[in-house]
Amino acid sequence: MLGANDGIVSTAGLVVGVAGATSERSALLTAGLAGLLAGSLSMAAGEYVSVSTQRDSELAALAQERRELAEQPEAELEELTQMLTDRGLSGAVAREAAEQFTARDALRTHARVELGIDPDALTNPWHAAGASFLAFTVGALLPLLAMVLPPASARLTVTVLSVLATLALTGWWSARLGAAPPRRAVLRNVGGGAVAMGVTYAVGSLLGATGV
């Protein structure tokens, strides 16, 4: 949802800004496509780097835990017992549970209880990059198509209205997914998009009027 919002707002700001300077469909299409590709690739690359760093950290933590289990198993057993005790188990029950977990799969148990990592579900940078690329592209297509498909006299109106309506919808939907009040999310989304388009249109109009 966040990637789609980024695609909507950034591309809408770009094409509306260009529309303030020129009404040429080819210029609008070129700017919109360039913004779409640059944004989607940037999002994908950024997400890949970020998630790769997170995955490297998870793998390093698992490797360290594996070494500690091999070098000092008793200390690790005591540590697990204490963590289970801290979670509300009695000392005897925590000790028995720790011994059973350790006998079954010590590394997986410590990863989940101590590190908060599921070894079977490590983050995948390629999946994250692909999802970001797709989300941004889908979001960016709306303002791009809204700007280049209608006749010149209606382009700006259609784009602004469709973008604001879509931002209201994504704000409401994201709030629903997070069980948050939708009104604030909708106003935040719509307000941010309106400001972005207003500023870029003003700049584009100024540059167009001065012939820059």
Side-chain angles (χ1 to χ4, degrees):
M1 192 67 70
L2 294 176
N5 266 358
D6 285 344
I8 294 169
V9 175
S10 61
T11 306
L14 178 60
V15 295
V16 166
V18 175
T22 179
S23 60
E24 291 293 328
R25 190 189 303 269
S26 60
L28 294 169
L29 180 60
T30 300
L33 284 176
L36 184 155
L37 288 173
S40 58
L41 291 172
S42 175
M43 286 282 291
E47 194 70 11
Y48 178 82
V49 170
S50 174
V51 175
S52 292
T53 301
Q54 179 183 345
R55 183 183 178 87
D56 290 344
S57 298
E58 291 173 344
L59 291 174
L62 289 174
Q64 179 178 346
E65 194 64 36
R66 189 179 291 108
R67 286 193 302 270
E68 292 175 351
L69 286 167
E71 296 171 359
Q72 43 190 359
E74 279 301 319
E76 289 298 299
L77 180 60
E78 290 296 333
E79 183 181 38
L80 180 58
T81 301
Q82 185 59 52
M83 286 187 290
L84 294 176
T85 302
D86 293 341
R87 295 190 178 193
L89 297 180
S90 66
V93 173
R95 178 71 181 194
E96 181 181 354
E99 290 175 348
Q100 291 186 17
F101 282 136
T102 299
R104 184 176 304 167
D105 194 327
L107 179 61
R108 181 172 280 101
T109 299
H110 278 265
R112 290 175 173 170
V113 177
E114 181 180 349
L115 305 175
I117 298 173
D118 185 351
D120 300 322
L122 296 179
T123 53
N124 188 313
W126 289 108
H127 290 171
S132 293
F133 181 91
L134 182 61
F136 188 97
T137 299
V138 170
L141 281 174
L142 169 74
L144 175 58
L145 295 177
M147 183 59 76
V148 300
L149 292 182
S153 60
R155 285 175 190 162
L156 188 60
T157 301
V158 170
T159 301
V160 170
L161 292 180
S162 61
V163 165
L164 294 181
T166 305
L167 289 175
L169 178 61
T170 57
W172 176 85
W173 185 246
S174 63
R176 295 286 294 177
L177 291 176
R183 182 172 180 272
R184 184 181 303 170
V186 169
L187 291 176
R188 187 166 51 233
N189 262 21
V190 171
V195 169
M197 289 187 289
V199 169
T200 56
Y201 183 76
V203 172
S205 298
L206 178 62
L207 293 176
T210 56
V212 176

